[in-house]
Each structure stands twice: as structure tokens, then as C-alpha cells.
Amino acid sequence: MIRVLLADDHAIVRSGVKQLLQIAGDIEVTAEAINGAQVLQALRAEQFDLILLDMGMPGISGVDLISRIRRHDITVPILVLSMLNEAQAVRRAFASGANGYVTKDNEPEVLLAAIRKTAAGHRFIDPLLVDEMVFGKAESDTQPAHELLSDREFHIFRLLAHGKSVNDIADELAISNKTVSTHKARLMQKMNFSSNAELVRYGVQHGLVE
């Protein structure tokens, strides 16, 4: 039996995933988490064969959460389950320590295959994203602006794109307002934005707002 820690802040998603895994027969959700702090707490409390992780939970999340898990020498496989169907999001997830990536708009059979393969110690990339991962850069002479961002800048970019204020982000990430403002200024400059509206519009157009 594959023991799964299911981390997603949407109750409907968790309920649907649990029903699917119950039908599978060889996979069991043994704990749930709705934010990064609960993920870390659960990992200290029991053993899992896989973390099924949403990238957009409240508090520490995404690549920051994956990196923190790895810094604690926790080697349990991490399979990202996300709405983001953008190749750069996949690259960032793998670079931070994820073992697999699958989008939420896939068929149930794909998720089951991803869980089994990742739990067995292999890597899994969403079939819908493989071509973009392999050929995306070759087909374009220029990188999308968000690929110029550091992981921290990209994380803050996504939070801003969700409409969160500097103060909200500082509280969520447990960093100072000044630090958030500095990152925001840098990412706005890198992406040549002059307003939050441009930032939000870019995020929606590029599928970066989950």
C-alpha cells in the first residue's frame, strides 16, 4: 500500500482525490494538510511513501516548501499536483527537489500512474507538458519574462498576481515588508511592468495564476 500525505487547501480537491485513490486499491491517503506548516508537522509525526503536493497553498508553499522539506533531509518522493500547466513551473519544481509533476486537468489514470511511478523512486512529467519541456525553448528565440525571475521573485510574483498586498505576502512568508518590496521592485523591473494590473494580466495570460 502506498501511503500518501495529501496537501491541498481545497476541500473539494482533497475529497475527489481521496475517492479516486480509494478505488485504486493500492494507494491510501493516511494524512492531509492544508498549508505548508501542516505538511512539515505531518512529516515529523509519521512516515509516508509519497507527498501529493499542491503548489499554491497558504503560507510557505511551492518551491519554498519543497526546498525546506529537502533541507530537513526528508527524502520522501514529492509529486506536485497543480493547475499550472507551464513548463517553467515544472522546471522550478524539479530544481527545488520535486520528483514528479502532473496537472489537475489530467485524466484520473494519469494521476494514478504518476503516484505509482513517483512512489517507486522514478520521475514523472505530465504527458501534456513533455513536448513543451523538450522543445519549448528551441521553438522560441526569446524567453518569457517570468523565466528571468529567481525562485523567490517568482513566488512573490504569483502571490501578487493573486491580488495579495505586500503586507499580506510579508505575513504569509514570515519576512519583512521591506524584503517583499525589494523583491517586487526587482521583478517589476525585470519584467518591465509599470503597474500591478500589468502583472496580474501577464499572470492570467501565461497560465501562472492557479
Side-chain angles (χ1 to χ4, degrees):
M1 185 70 70
I2 299 172
R3 298 163 298 173
V4 173
L5 167 58
L6 174 58
D8 195 300
D9 60 321
H10 296 97
I12 292 177
V13 173
R14 295 198 310 276
S15 177
V17 170
K18 283 193 296 183
Q19 290 181 20
L20 171 64
L21 300 189
Q22 286 174 354
I23 296 172
D26 60 334
I27 309 169
E28 180 183 11
V29 175
T30 56
E32 299 177 46
I34 62 172
N35 56 49
Q38 289 187 3
V39 170
L40 296 173
Q41 183 179 13
L43 290 171
R44 289 191 292 266
E46 58 183 294
Q47 298 291 318
F48 302 96
D49 299 307
L50 180 83
I51 305 171
L52 188 56
L53 181 67
D54 176 44
M55 291 289 275
M57 297 184 297
I60 181 172
S61 63
V63 296
D64 285 343
L65 177 56
I66 296 171
S67 297
R68 183 170 297 190
I69 291 171
R70 295 307 184 217
R71 285 199 300 271
H72 284 78
D73 290 328
I74 299 172
T75 59
V76 57
I78 299 173
L79 174 61
V80 171
L81 178 62
S82 176
M83 286 294 294
L84 296 178
N85 59 355
E86 206 270 342
Q88 182 62 10
V90 183
R91 294 188 186 99
R92 291 178 186 273
F94 277 104
S96 62
N99 305 87
Y101 194 105
V102 64
T103 55
K104 291 180 179 178
D105 55 358
N106 258 299
E107 294 296 326
E109 292 77 12
V110 175
L111 176 58
L112 294 177
I115 291 173
R116 291 172 179 135
K117 186 172 182 178
T118 308
H122 306 290
R123 289 197 164 199
F124 185 94
I125 299 178
D126 191 319
L128 300 176
L129 294 172
V130 170
D131 285 348
E132 185 180 354
M133 292 287 293
V134 175
F135 302 112
K137 286 190 175 181
E139 293 173 353
S140 176
D141 294 331
T142 59
Q143 287 183 316
H146 61 274
E147 293 197 13
L148 302 175
L149 304 180
S150 69
D151 286 343
R152 175 63 88 177
E153 289 167 349
F154 183 70
H155 191 185
I156 290 175
F157 163 80
R158 289 194 59 228
L159 294 174
L160 290 167
H162 277 88
K164 295 193 175 184
S165 68
V166 168
N167 290 340
D168 292 337
I169 296 170
D171 290 341
E172 184 166 320
L173 301 182
I175 57 180
S176 70
N177 292 11
K178 182 178 180 181
T179 299
V180 176
S181 295
T182 299
H183 284 304
K184 179 181 177 182
R186 288 175 180 167
L187 72 89
M188 295 287 281
Q189 182 178 20
K190 285 182 179 180
M191 302 183 74
N192 198 28
F193 291 151
S194 58
S195 68
N196 283 353
E198 290 182 4
L199 185 152
V200 172
R201 185 162 54 249
Y202 180 98
V204 172
Q205 290 174 344
H206 288 78
L208 301 174
V209 180
E210 189 170 338

